[in-house]
Amino acid sequence: MHFNPSIVIKISGKFFDEDGSRNISSLRDVVRNLSSSFRVAIVSGGGSNARKYINMGRDLNLSESYLDLLGIWASRLNANLIAFALGDIAYPVVPDSLEDFIEKWSSGKVVVTGGFQPGQSTAAVAALVAEATNSSTLIVATNVDGVYDKDPKVYKDAVMLKELTINKLKEILENSQSVKAGTYELLDPMAMKIIQRSRIKVIVMNYRYISSLSDLIKDNKNIGSTVIPE
């Protein structure tokens, strides 16, 4: 029996905040196209809804675990929106754990998920999902064009790197990561550890180009940054 190769698409929560319905429509079209050649899993971040509830919870002195739960539920709401938009090619229920994801993945359908548990970013979830599905590639669709040698929002002379190693990415992110709820950006240390141990290639791209995803995967279109596993 022939099995299509698997890919995982990690969608930033910001994807829902800026022209979200159009972004989801573009994602739906590209996933429908990809699903004839690939098994596709999608992991969604929480976006502004997550930040809104986390900020309110922090004002109420809730614990980081409770704040994480609020972010997880927001990410699952976004995941449900994508799953509903995909219609019959998607599994209709969003998983709430890795075990649950694996069970739903066996259906053969596209599976869309959000967060799994407190203390774990959706970037780490995406890495776990890529590992569990034996995916060779993890697409990180975010609001920057790729990986820069330093923060492009702070430094005007920041240079985008077309290709880099996971160790170089660790070095760049080492001093800029926060582990508080709602503050994960790009890939956190847990996600990078999973990516490294399973040698998963990561492509970081701007979700504005999501409609070009098929070309990027199939023809190595010149978009974003490629993080090479070591």
Side-chain angles (χ1 to χ4, degrees):
M1 185 181 291
H2 174 72
F3 293 97
N4 285 339
S6 303
I7 59 167
V8 177
I9 306 170
K10 163 67 172 73
I11 298 293
S12 166
K14 295 180 176 70
F15 182 83
F16 302 87
D17 302 336
E18 303 162 6
D19 208 3
S21 55
R22 180 177 293 179
N23 288 338
I24 294 168
S25 179
S26 295
L27 178 65
R28 174 178 58 198
D29 292 344
V30 81
V31 170
R32 283 189 173 276
N33 182 29
L34 283 171
S35 60
S36 61
S37 305
F38 294 90
R39 292 292 319 275
V40 180
I42 302 171
V43 180
S44 171
S48 60
N49 280 335
R51 291 189 295 277
K52 174 184 174 183
Y53 280 91
I54 286 168
N55 288 338
M56 284 195 290
R58 195 164 273 133
D59 288 343
L60 294 166
N61 296 316
L62 300 187
S63 72
E64 288 294 322
S65 291
Y66 285 172
L67 300 180
D68 267 345
L69 284 172
L70 292 170
I72 286 167
W73 293 331
S75 70
R76 290 179 185 169
L77 182 63
N78 287 342
N80 273 289
L81 183 58
I82 293 174
F84 293 162
L86 287 172
D88 59 0
I89 67 166
Y91 197 91
V93 180
V94 169
D96 57 15
S97 67
L98 184 60
E99 295 89 344
D100 192 21
F101 172 88
I102 292 167
E103 182 180 334
K104 290 171 170 53
W105 184 250
S106 68
S107 69
K109 289 181 175 287
V110 175
V111 180
V112 191
T113 191
F116 285 159
Q117 64 187 38
Q120 187 181 70
S121 70
T122 49
V125 169
L128 283 169
V129 164
E131 187 175 64
T133 55
N134 292 314
S135 296
S136 61
T137 305
L138 167 60
I139 308 291
V140 177
T142 183
N143 67 334
V144 292
D145 289 339
V147 178
Y148 289 77
D149 61 347
K150 48 192 168 184
D151 190 344
K153 295 172 186 171
V154 177
Y155 302 98
K156 290 183 178 179
D157 63 342
V159 175
M160 196 181 98
L161 307 172
K162 294 301 297 178
E163 189 171 292
L164 66 158
T165 63
I166 191 74
N167 283 330
K168 179 64 177 175
L169 180 61
K170 279 182 181 178
E171 183 186 314
I172 292 167
L173 297 180
E174 205 167 46
N175 299 317
S176 62
Q177 292 283 0
S178 171
V179 294
K180 288 186 176 181
T183 60
Y184 306 117
E185 292 187 21
L186 205 56
L187 295 171
D188 65 317
M190 185 186 297
M192 286 191 283
K193 187 178 289 186
I194 296 161
I195 287 161
Q196 196 162 28
R197 76 185 182 190
S198 288
R199 300 185 60 78
I200 300 162
K201 181 175 77 174
V202 179
I203 298 173
V204 179
M205 63 174 289
N206 196 311
Y207 54 67
R208 288 185 296 133
Y209 305 119
I210 201 77
S211 60
S212 300
L213 195 54
S214 296
D215 294 330
L216 174 62
I217 293 166
K218 295 175 181 176
D219 305 318
N220 200 23
K221 192 178 174 82
N222 193 29
I223 295 173
S225 300
T226 300
V227 182
I228 305 296
E230 294 172 302

